[in-house]
Amino acid sequence: MAIEPSLLDTCTSHLKTCLKSIHKVIQNANEILCGISQPSVCSEVLMSSRGTDYISGVIEVYRVSKRMEGGIKTFSIDCERLQLVLRDIELAWNNLQAFLSICPSVLQKLPSPSVFDYEAKKMSSDLGLCLQRCCGVCLLERLDQQVSSEPIGNMLQFGGRPYHLSCANFWLHCVDSSLPVLSCHSNCSVCVKLKEETK
């Protein structure tokens, strides 16, 4: 199901803003590692507890971008600007992995590409796609534990909307101090049903 044209611009703008921030974080990680001239020093930094925590955080940021990519595909958002930013993120991520190759023990801790494949994870709703039921940042519903390494309860409710913890965390720290709230399309059967139930 595609998002209504009236909502598409707002949705695309919010996605682009978040994806650009993700690209900046991954690009900064590349610049930090590139600035370390000696491989032995870089390896020492990566093996330290602070270095490991930092790389874990960057991995989680990349995971948010892959969720967003899955949400974009789920809602059939066809936007060249978003595809360009996603491509830039992928290039920066591949470059970062090349830096991490100097430290095999850190490289081995990276999740396999299949862990980031949110496109294959189907929306759980039998009623169709509803923005009100999706994470306000990445546009994916609660993930199914059978097809995800993430726990099922990994969502929080804020202002009547669900958010993945890492999506909300990234948005609040790197994009804006207020979580995004996207309205659903006017003929959404889930929203109509919820309105009838609350009358």
Side-chain angles (χ1 to χ4, degrees):
M1 178 184 289
I3 293 176
E4 284 185 354
S6 58
L7 302 174
L8 191 58
D9 285 345
T10 303
C11 194
T12 301
S13 175
H14 128 260
L15 291 166
K16 184 181 175 189
T17 301
C18 192
L19 288 170
K20 282 190 162 193
S21 295
I22 289 170
H23 178 250
K24 186 176 179 181
V25 168
I26 298 173
Q27 194 59 38
N28 283 346
N30 277 306
E31 289 168 9
I32 289 168
L33 293 177
C34 185
I36 302 173
S37 57
Q38 296 185 0
S40 60
V41 175
C42 191
S43 184
E44 188 178 330
V45 168
L46 290 171
M47 291 300 293
S48 71
S49 60
R50 287 182 68 189
T52 302
D53 288 346
Y54 177 72
I55 292 302
S56 294
V58 175
I59 290 169
E60 197 54 41
V61 168
Y62 177 68
R63 185 187 303 274
V64 171
S65 78
K66 297 307 282 183
R67 278 200 204 117
M68 292 179 75
E69 184 177 15
I72 288 166
K73 289 177 180 175
T74 298
F75 280 95
S76 304
I77 300 171
D78 185 18
C79 177
E80 187 178 345
R81 290 174 295 162
L82 294 179
Q83 294 307 317
L84 288 173
V85 183
L86 285 168
R87 186 200 64 195
D88 290 344
I89 289 170
E90 209 58 40
L91 289 171
W93 176 252
N94 289 337
N95 200 37
L96 182 62
Q97 288 184 98
F99 278 118
L100 296 179
S101 66
I102 65 167
C103 191
S105 59
V106 174
L107 191 61
Q108 288 172 357
K109 292 179 183 177
L110 291 179
S112 69
S114 63
V115 171
F116 298 120
D117 185 13
Y118 292 99
E119 180 185 4
K121 296 168 178 57
K122 301 300 181 189
M123 302 285 272
S124 62
S125 173
D126 296 330
L127 302 169
L129 302 178
C130 171
L131 282 172
Q132 298 293 104
R133 294 171 52 106
C134 296
C135 171
V137 175
C138 72
L139 307 184
L140 286 181
E141 276 192 292
R142 186 183 306 269
L143 303 172
D144 182 348
Q145 202 166 24
Q146 293 178 344
V147 291
S148 170
S149 61
E150 298 172 63
I152 257 178
N154 203 18
M155 296 280 272
L156 65 91
Q157 292 287 328
F158 182 80
R161 291 294 306 274
Y163 298 88
H164 294 109
L165 294 175
S166 56
C167 289
N169 187 43
F170 179 78
W171 184 277
L172 292 171
H173 285 92
C174 299
V175 182
D176 196 306
S177 59
S178 299
L179 288 169
V181 178
L182 296 171
S183 300
C184 201
H185 52 95
S186 57
N187 60 351
C188 172
S189 59
V190 177
C191 291
V192 169
K193 185 176 179 182
L194 284 173
K195 284 177 187 174
E196 288 173 355
E197 288 174 356
T198 55
K199 282 182 181 178

